[in-house]
Amino acid sequence: AQSVTQPDIHITVSEGASLELRCNYSYGATPYLFWYVQSPGQGLQLLLKYFSGDTLVQGIKGFEAEFKRSQSSFNLRKPSVHWSDAAEYFCAVGTIQAGTALIFGKGTTLSVSS
Amino acid sequence: EPEVTQTPSHQVTQMGQEVILRCVPISNHLYFYWYRQILGQKVEFLVSFYNNEISEKSEIFDDQFSVERPDGSNFTLKIRSTKLEDSAMYFCASSATANTGELFFGEGSRLTVL
């Protein structure tokens, strides 16, 4: 079955510390992987995506993610977290084809402490 | 920056009532989607729409749901006879014709069924 697992429901990180949010997927076809962020009162915003090529992808707001096929993982990282990064983060898997469904994980809520 | 807008932001309704959620996708996008997120659960795909017909739908999207593009700008989700379990945040999204896999989401409409 196709699925996305985000093992961490809630993570608290100190401002300036590094961050890693975990994502594992199960997908029958070639996976196209996404990370979305949802700030309070906002819609889902695309942080980054992986389709092919270099397995380390860079996104907006200083985020990066690494695709590891052998581990079926697509973990999101940031070297130094800012208070404005507090939000909910969703990993998703799908196809590149427009009109098809994305499968989302349950999300990880990130809190940033000062 | 172009954005997807949704109305209402919050609607409270009685069980059995009909609800229409409205979305204005990004103007040059041709693929439209509805997703929902029940509190504490995953963001789930409901339906995608292209060229005035449904492209793909999930098993959640049963006969009580319908979608329509009544004019050149709006995209609506109708729930004919709401149930308690329809209480959720409903997200509209749109994507361009190019197969980039990127969806642009609205801020969501929170539906509460009493």
Side-chain angles (χ1 to χ4, degrees):
Chain A
Q2 300 171 349
S3 66
V4 175
T5 301
Q6 294 180 246
D8 305 305
I9 297 172
H10 192 180
I11 285 182
T12 299
V13 174
S14 298
E15 190 168 16
S18 63
L19 169 71
E20 182 170 31
L21 302 182
R22 296 182 290 166
C23 172
N24 294 94
Y25 67 89
S26 172
Y27 199 69
T30 301
Y32 293 93
L33 296 153
F34 307 84
W35 275 98
Y36 282 85
V37 61
Q38 184 182 26
S39 299
Q42 304 289 316
L44 296 163
Q45 180 185 21
L46 182 68
L47 278 176
L48 47 77
K49 59 190 177 186
Y50 172 78
F51 290 162
S52 64
D54 192 348
T55 56
L56 184 65
V57 293
Q58 303 297 320
I60 62 171
K61 305 184 181 187
F63 285 92
E64 66 178 27
E66 186 172 12
F67 171 60
K68 293 185 177 180
R69 186 184 298 276
S70 62
Q71 298 177 20
S72 297
S73 69
F74 188 57
N75 294 348
L76 181 71
R77 301 195 293 248
K78 186 169 184 178
S80 177
V81 167
H82 188 262
W83 64 266
S84 60
D85 293 325
E88 188 152 21
Y89 292 80
F90 295 94
C91 181
V93 65
T95 77
I96 197 174
Q97 184 180 352
T100 58
L102 284 180
I103 299 168
F104 282 85
K106 277 193 172 183
T108 298
T109 300
L110 173 66
S111 297
V112 180
S113 61
S114 55
Chain B
E1 183 177 329
E3 59 180 18
V4 176
T5 58
Q6 291 185 240
T7 55
S9 56
H10 189 189
Q11 182 158 356
V12 181
T13 190
Q14 296 292 323
M15 189 169 55
Q17 295 296 304
E18 176 182 284
V19 163
I20 297 176
L21 305 179
R22 291 181 169 81
C23 170
V24 179
I26 294 173
S27 62
N28 63 342
H29 286 183
L30 296 179
Y31 290 85
F32 314 115
Y33 311 78
W34 284 101
Y35 285 77
R36 79 172 184 189
Q37 184 182 26
I38 295 172
L39 189 63
Q41 299 188 24
K42 299 183 180 186
V43 176
E44 302 172 293
F45 170 76
L46 292 178
V47 66
S48 62
F49 191 85
Y50 170 71
N51 198 27
N52 283 320
E53 59 183 31
I54 291 173
S55 297
E56 185 175 325
K57 63 180 181 179
S58 71
E59 57 189 27
I60 301 169
F61 193 86
D62 60 22
D63 290 344
Q64 71 159 344
F65 291 94
S66 62
V67 288
E68 190 178 33
R69 188 154 163 81
D71 52 44
S73 60
N74 288 286
F75 178 54
T76 63
L77 174 69
K78 181 191 290 186
I79 309 174
R80 288 193 184 80
S81 178
T82 51
K83 305 174 208 170
L84 295 176
E85 54 264 38
D86 293 327
S87 295
M89 180 73 87
Y90 289 81
F91 292 104
C92 175
S94 67
S95 65
T97 54
N99 290 334
T100 65
E102 180 171 0
L103 271 59
F104 293 80
F105 284 86
E107 294 181 4
S109 293
R110 180 167 297 284
L111 176 64
T112 301
V113 182
L114 303 177

